[in-house]
Amino acid sequence: MTAAPRTTGRTRVAEATAALRAGRMILVLGETSDGCRGDLVMAAQRVTAEAVNAMASLGCGLIHVSMRAAALDALGIPPADPAATGPDRDLFRVSVRLAGAEADGVRASRRAQTVRALADPASTPSTFARPGHVFPLGCAAGGVLSVPACPEAAVDLAELAGMAPVGVLCEVCGADGEQAGRSQLLALGRDHGLPVVSIDDLVAYRKRELCRVRRRGVARIPLPMGEFRAVGFTDGLDRAHVAFVHGDPAADVAPLVRLHFECLAGDVFGSRRCRCRGALDRALDRIARDGSGVLVYIRARTTAVRDTLRACRADGESGSAEAQRHSDLQSAFDILDALAVREIRLLCDAGEAAVEPERARIVARIPLTHSARHPDAETLVTPRAGDRIGSLP
């Protein structure tokens, strides 16, 4: 009998967002200091009285509405404890109900109306009265990438589903009224046909989506080493990256490729505290002499002068060190994929951080810095099975 295919995190996120668009509930799992926490989640703008009743019955916890803290501020819904400090001040807000509604709004229909009003962009501070039977939570603007918790996950998933970034969640309690364990949560998902997604799945998905690149333009750039085509790309953070392309690398069996991460002090001013300028020039020269290849220039996450200077002060590191993150390397390989470069000979040096490319195949690793004994030698290092490549300075 053929085993059922294992679902991936990307598949689980897709199934969860599809369910939210259809007005269905999902189950979100997250790790806490006490173990595994599970929350029933819906998109606020799809909530009905029946859904509120089902959430309360299945979850047995308190129903909250999560939305970004700035949106709650705009609606005039203040912190539950104005004297509080730290993250809890923004998180817990004064309970609300629809203005003009009776104070007995604990009824499912009344709570559903209030929830939908919180997701309605036409709502204003006068739409709500306080206190009420709906409990808002203020979430971080960066979602799970800032705070990997269930309230942020509910907001992110609603937004990924193409709806207002407002989620409804209810923590699942066991029969004893305590936090349900993982086995109980998974059984609940199976018994009620709920898509199950973890916060880790969502974090990985959002990080991956931030790396997606789009081609933005091309220009011919004459450099001292030869003529290159500069192909511009932007990623999910709206950063502009450039691929310097020489010759026709897509037609080459395995062109030379160098990944270079922006370093203002080194690349532009030639700082002696790093090797960035020399590495950049050597890589472009090697690619030009080889006849074809690509240098992928990845822009830093911040171009603020204060951040650049701070990075340069830290242990003699250059600004490029701050950019050497896994997602940036994924952007670099996305760019190579967009250029139809599938197999590469990687220009790199020893001692560089490791990463596993998703698509490009590394057929050889070539030292960027030649040895003193053989300055013109080009030593090919064939990767072993499972060999990884480096994040370059």
Side-chain angles (χ1 to χ4, degrees):
M1 188 172 86
T2 304
R6 292 183 61 186
T7 58
T8 64
R10 175 176 291 276
T11 301
R12 289 189 288 272
V13 171
E15 290 174 348
T17 53
L20 293 177
R21 275 193 297 272
R24 294 170 54 207
M25 259 189 301
I26 65 171
L27 183 60
V28 176
L29 304 183
E31 298 299 327
T32 70
S33 58
D34 297 326
C36 182
R37 166 177 169 160
D39 283 72
L40 297 170
V41 169
M42 283 193 70
Q45 71 184 71
R46 293 282 195 266
V47 164
T48 63
E50 293 76 15
V52 169
N53 190 49
M55 263 194 172
S57 301
L58 287 177
C60 300
L62 192 62
I63 295 177
H64 287 95
V65 177
S66 60
M67 51 198 299
R68 295 193 176 106
L72 287 168
D73 292 339
L75 290 174
I77 301 174
D81 181 5
T85 59
D88 284 354
R89 185 181 191 279
D90 266 346
L91 180 61
F92 295 104
R93 300 296 178 115
V94 170
S95 61
V96 296
R97 68 180 191 275
L98 284 179
E102 296 145 7
D104 63 350
V106 72
R107 285 181 288 176
S109 57
R110 290 278 173 79
R111 282 190 284 174
Q113 289 172 348
T114 303
V115 168
R116 291 195 300 271
L118 285 167
D120 187 346
S123 293
T124 65
S126 62
T127 304
F128 305 97
R130 305 188 295 268
H133 294 282
V134 171
F135 301 89
L137 297 173
C139 298
V144 293
L145 296 183
S146 297
V147 180
C150 282
E152 278 73 15
V155 171
D156 283 356
L157 286 165
E159 188 168 49
L160 286 171
M163 292 179 288
V166 184
V168 187
L169 63 157
C170 177
E171 185 174 359
V172 179
C173 299
D176 59 357
E178 299 298 321
Q179 180 175 290
R182 178 179 292 275
S183 59
Q184 290 175 289
L185 293 168
L186 294 177
L188 177 70
R190 286 193 302 269
D191 293 345
H192 295 275
L194 305 176
V196 179
V197 63
S198 74
I199 293 175
D200 287 344
D201 290 335
L202 184 55
V203 169
Y205 179 89
R206 286 207 56 204
K207 283 183 176 178
R208 188 68 190 89
E209 288 306 301
L210 287 176
C211 303
R212 298 291 177 188
V213 297
R214 295 182 180 181
R215 189 165 175 155
R216 295 301 187 188
V218 61
R220 294 193 176 276
I221 307 291
L223 298 176
M225 305 83 176
E227 187 173 272
F228 284 74
R229 297 192 315 279
V231 185
F233 293 87
T234 56
D235 63 15
L237 293 173
D238 206 30
R239 288 180 301 164
H241 308 298
V242 183
F244 289 90
V245 181
H246 183 73
D248 186 6
D252 201 340
V253 174
L256 283 177
V257 169
R258 171 69 174 174
L259 310 181
H260 188 96
F261 293 85
E262 180 181 24
C263 171
L264 176 65
D267 298 344
V268 177
F269 300 106
S271 169
R272 295 183 180 181
R273 300 193 70 172
C274 65
R275 298 174 295 133
C276 297
R277 178 61 175 271
L280 179 61
D281 289 343
R282 284 195 301 274
L284 290 169
D285 182 65
R286 293 284 294 279
I287 289 169
R289 286 193 290 112
D290 201 65
S292 70
V294 183
L295 183 140
V296 182
Y297 192 90
I298 299 295
R299 300 294 304 279
R301 289 176 176 262
T302 175
T303 56
V305 172
R306 65 179 180 277
D307 294 328
T308 300
L309 296 179
R310 185 183 303 116
C312 290
R313 287 199 305 267
D315 300 322
E317 294 289 339
S318 70
S320 64
E322 293 298 315
Q324 294 175 20
R325 302 181 181 182
H326 183 63
S327 61
D328 290 339
L329 282 158
Q330 287 181 323
S331 290
F333 283 107
D334 278 352
I335 288 172
L336 291 175
D337 190 58
L339 295 171
V341 175
R342 309 288 187 247
E343 295 187 333
I344 66 175
R345 291 176 293 143
L346 185 73
L347 284 169
C348 58
D349 280 327
E352 295 171 343
V355 69
E356 187 72 41
E358 289 186 355
R359 289 180 296 277
R361 177 171 175 263
I362 313 304
V363 300
R365 298 178 60 162
I366 301 175
L368 179 63
T369 305
H370 294 160
S371 67
R373 173 179 284 182
H374 302 292
D376 295 324
E378 191 173 85
T379 305
L380 298 183
V381 182
T382 303
R384 300 180 298 275
D387 197 14
R388 295 186 173 192
I389 68 162
S391 167
L392 308 180

